Amino acid sequence: MEEILREKNIKVTDTRKEILRILSESKSAISYNTIQEKTALKLDKVTVYRTLDTFENKGIIHSIPSEDGIKLYSFCKDDCHDHDHDDNHVHFNCEMCNTTVCLYHVDIPSVELPKGYYMHSSKLIVNGICPECR
Amino acid sequence: MEEILREKNIKVTDTRKEILRILSESKSAISYNTIQEKTALKLDKVTVYRTLDTFENKGIIHSIPSEDGIKLYSFCKDDCHDHDHDDNHVHFNCEMCNTTVCLYHVDIPSVELPKGYYMHSSKLIVNGICPECR
DNA sequence: CTGCTAAACGCAACTTGGTTTCATTAAAAA
DNA sequence: TTTTTAATGAAACCAAGTTGCGTTTAGCAG
Ligand SMILES: [Mn+2]
Ligand SMILES: [Mn+2]
Ligand SMILES: [Zn+2]
Ligand SMILES: [Zn+2]
């Protein structure tokens, strides 16, 4: 776990290790609030948000906007580098349990855009019912 | 314009006509703030938000979450009814001019989900460069 | 091991998009 | 024209996230 931080050349601190641990143990993408719920430590709000920003910029995690506008965070599985994420997988949001998971193995299909439009990236969020809630 | 309101069985008011006018004249999806910028009337914040909610619930407009978390609103072109939108088109966000447009003619492709997942709806947002900014 | 320094932290205060409450007004049906 | 019900508007509120700034500390050099 600490190795991830060392690899990315950022200082190893308790807060960072803790947030990394929580993220790594989570099966779904989680919010700032969930991180606070899951920790026994006293984590400062600003530090948590800054840590998440750092992780995202370093390509350790990526963020997904939830249905209600708040940001969810999830580990990057593929090779993501500084500011260069490779996360073109589909996200699934369950309408029952209201969790969002990364479907790392489901790629976003390419679409035919009208003339003149050029794609850099895309996000596909599928809403429905997850296996657990079925 | 007023006819839309009558059809949906909601009262015809100046605020509603104005917001409807601004939305109908806009080429891209717009935010609450843009509505305030484009009106000469003094529109109350609460009323505007409530109006947008009403319009969305009635199937007159639909909302798209922008990159930075705020809600954008755009006319529904197809047959949308109360709480039953039929807006499975792609949205395009231009990274240069930072506008989001509905690509009404580009359908969201279907994806093969892992076993146990059931889809109700999906949202696909493509980021890139629009024709004007090319 | 001991400084040194840039990076990280932490508190308070702030910003912002959006909502709640509740009293007042007005559209439109009777 | 009256009545009813939906819509409005002002104030206060809320929650997610940010800014400013002084303090601490990880990790490197000596
Ligand atoms: Mn993901
Ligand atoms: Mn649209
Ligand atoms: Zn579920
Ligand atoms: Zn553009």
Side-chain angles (χ1 to χ4, degrees):
Chain A
M1 209 78 284
E2 298 192 21
E3 279 151 40
I4 296 176
L5 299 173
R6 295 225 173 74
E7 272 172 32
K8 300 289 182 177
N9 287 310
I10 54 176
K11 290 185 178 173
V12 178
T13 68
D14 287 349
T15 301
R16 283 176 175 170
K17 284 190 288 184
E18 176 72 352
I19 295 176
L20 216 48
R21 185 189 64 76
I22 292 168
L23 283 163
S24 70
E25 288 175 0
S26 176
K27 295 216 146 200
S28 59
I30 56 177
S31 65
Y32 160 79
N33 280 308
T34 307
I35 290 172
Q36 290 289 14
E37 285 162 14
K38 291 201 177 172
T39 189
L41 306 182
K42 183 184 129 304
L43 302 179
D44 183 76
K45 180 209 276 222
V46 177
T47 305
V48 172
Y49 276 116
R50 281 196 285 230
T51 300
L52 292 168
D53 275 2
T54 303
F55 286 178
E56 188 170 16
N57 288 334
K58 289 290 181 177
I60 299 172
I61 62 175
H62 59 283
S63 65
I64 311 118
S66 84
E67 196 75 355
D68 40 355
I70 74 171
K71 271 178 146 185
L72 303 178
Y73 299 89
S74 181
F75 253 91
C76 293
K77 275 284 163 57
D78 314 302
D79 290 323
C80 291
H81 313 48
D82 290 26
H83 285 271
D84 176 28
H85 288 256
D86 181 19
D87 282 310
N88 65 331
H89 56 265
V90 171
H91 291 108
F92 187 91
N93 174 249
C94 177
E95 292 158 351
M96 300 277 305
C97 61
N98 197 34
T99 59
T100 297
V101 294
C102 295
L103 301 180
Y104 292 108
H105 306 301
V106 183
D107 280 0
I108 300 177
S110 62
V111 291
E112 188 94 13
L113 296 176
K115 216 166 166 52
Y117 288 92
Y118 291 91
M119 172 191 300
H120 280 167
S121 64
S122 61
K123 297 202 174 193
L124 175 55
I125 299 176
V126 175
N127 291 285
I129 307 292
C130 77
E132 278 79 44
C133 293
R134 253 259 136 200
Chain B
M1 207 80 283
E2 297 191 21
E3 279 150 40
I4 296 178
L5 299 172
R6 294 228 171 74
E7 271 173 31
K8 301 288 181 178
N9 285 311
I10 54 177
K11 291 183 179 172
V12 178
T13 68
D14 287 347
T15 301
R16 284 175 175 172
K17 284 190 287 182
E18 175 72 351
I19 295 176
L20 216 48
R21 185 189 62 78
I22 293 168
L23 282 163
S24 71
E25 288 176 359
S26 176
K27 294 217 145 197
S28 59
I30 56 177
S31 65
Y32 160 80
N33 280 307
T34 306
I35 290 171
Q36 289 290 14
E37 286 163 13
K38 291 201 178 173
T39 189
L41 305 182
K42 182 183 126 305
L43 302 180
D44 183 76
K45 183 209 273 222
V46 177
T47 305
V48 172
Y49 276 116
R50 280 197 286 230
T51 301
L52 291 169
D53 274 2
T54 303
F55 285 179
E56 188 169 17
N57 288 334
K58 289 290 180 177
I60 300 172
I61 62 176
H62 59 282
S63 65
I64 311 119
S66 85
E67 196 73 359
D68 40 356
I70 73 171
K71 271 179 146 185
L72 303 178
Y73 298 88
S74 181
F75 253 92
C76 293
K77 275 285 163 58
D78 314 302
D79 289 323
C80 291
H81 313 47
D82 289 26
H83 286 268
D84 176 26
H85 288 257
D86 180 19
D87 282 310
N88 64 331
H89 56 265
V90 172
H91 290 108
F92 187 91
N93 174 250
C94 176
E95 293 159 351
M96 299 277 305
C97 62
N98 197 35
T99 59
T100 298
V101 294
C102 296
L103 300 180
Y104 293 106
H105 305 301
V106 183
D107 279 359
I108 300 177
S110 62
V111 291
E112 188 93 13
L113 296 176
K115 216 166 164 54
Y117 288 92
Y118 291 90
M119 172 190 302
H120 280 166
S121 63
S122 61
K123 296 202 174 194
L124 175 55
I125 298 176
V126 175
N127 291 285
I129 308 292
C130 78
E132 278 79 43
C133 293
R134 254 258 130 203

